[in-house]
Amino acid sequence: MTAETAGGPVGQVRPITYYGEDVLHRPCAEVTRDTPDLDQLIADMFASMYAAEGVGLAANQIGVGLRIFVIDCPEQDDEGRPTGHSVVGTVINPVLHLPDGHRELVERTEGCLSVPGATAVLARVSEARVTGFDANWEPIEISGTGLVARCLQHECDHLEGTVYVDRLPKRARKQALADADFSRGA
């Protein structure tokens, strides 16, 4: 399966890495300008994210331990309704910025391609901002609220070796892992 990227290489769908695989549970390495085949990796990440029907994908979710994620996340208003717009981009070596002072937490159902089929309610900060570099090594900043904020936090967690279920209370984590269908794609 392939996917075209605008003016770039054709992306190949790679298998999603599942919870328990080592690459998901350790911090990822910084990307450098001389990282080989970076354009191909980005194309493969988008192709893999779209094939899995995700809204974000970190490199370690396809087995590559590098600090990069892609996103195509629909924006929502304060009531959780779609706005009709999406935040689409690539962030290399992202740094997550959360608000100073009071941080409003929002509890919403969350899932992950690396824990297929399982969801759980998780509190996340209501707004977030990520800085880093885009695919052309230009500085990039993505900020958002609602689902976009959740997605930014979720993907940055991946790059630190944390999967969303790791943030759940023990009983909820065990339930989410029991609910997961790790046979998908096998």
Side-chain angles (χ1 to χ4, degrees), residues 92-165:
I92 298 170
N93 299 330
V95 176
L96 178 65
H97 306 272
L98 300 175
D100 291 331
H102 174 74
R103 294 178 180 173
E104 179 185 353
L105 294 178
V106 176
E107 289 189 341
R108 291 268 198 272
T109 301
E110 192 164 326
C112 180
L113 298 175
S114 293
V115 187
T119 61
V121 174
L122 180 65
R124 295 269 190 188
V125 178
S126 63
E127 56 185 285
R129 179 172 60 94
V130 168
T131 57
F133 299 93
D134 68 12
N136 297 313
W137 285 98
E138 296 294 326
I140 187 171
E141 179 177 315
I142 299 175
S143 59
T145 60
L147 184 59
V148 173
R150 181 170 296 273
C151 188
L152 295 174
Q153 292 168 77
H154 182 107
E155 300 311 327
C156 286
D157 269 359
H158 271 303
L159 302 180
E160 296 301 329
T162 301
V163 180
Y164 90 100
V165 294

Side-chain angles (χ1 to χ4, degrees), residues 12-77:
Q12 299 294 317
V13 175
R14 297 192 197 185
I16 300 296
T17 304
Y18 289 151
Y19 187 87
E21 295 183 45
D22 188 53
V23 70
L24 284 176
H25 303 284
R26 64 174 189 259
C28 294
E30 292 283 317
V31 178
T32 63
R33 289 180 184 266
D34 60 348
T35 296
D37 303 317
L38 188 57
D39 289 342
Q40 186 65 56
L41 173 61
I42 292 167
D44 291 355
M45 289 174 67
F46 272 108
S48 301
M49 177 183 67
Y50 291 136
E53 299 181 4
V55 297
L57 185 83
N60 59 353
Q61 289 186 273
I62 57 168
V64 178
L66 292 175
R67 295 187 66 78
I68 181 172
F69 72 80
V70 296
I71 183 174
D72 187 343
C73 185
E75 291 180 331
Q76 297 175 339
D77 65 18

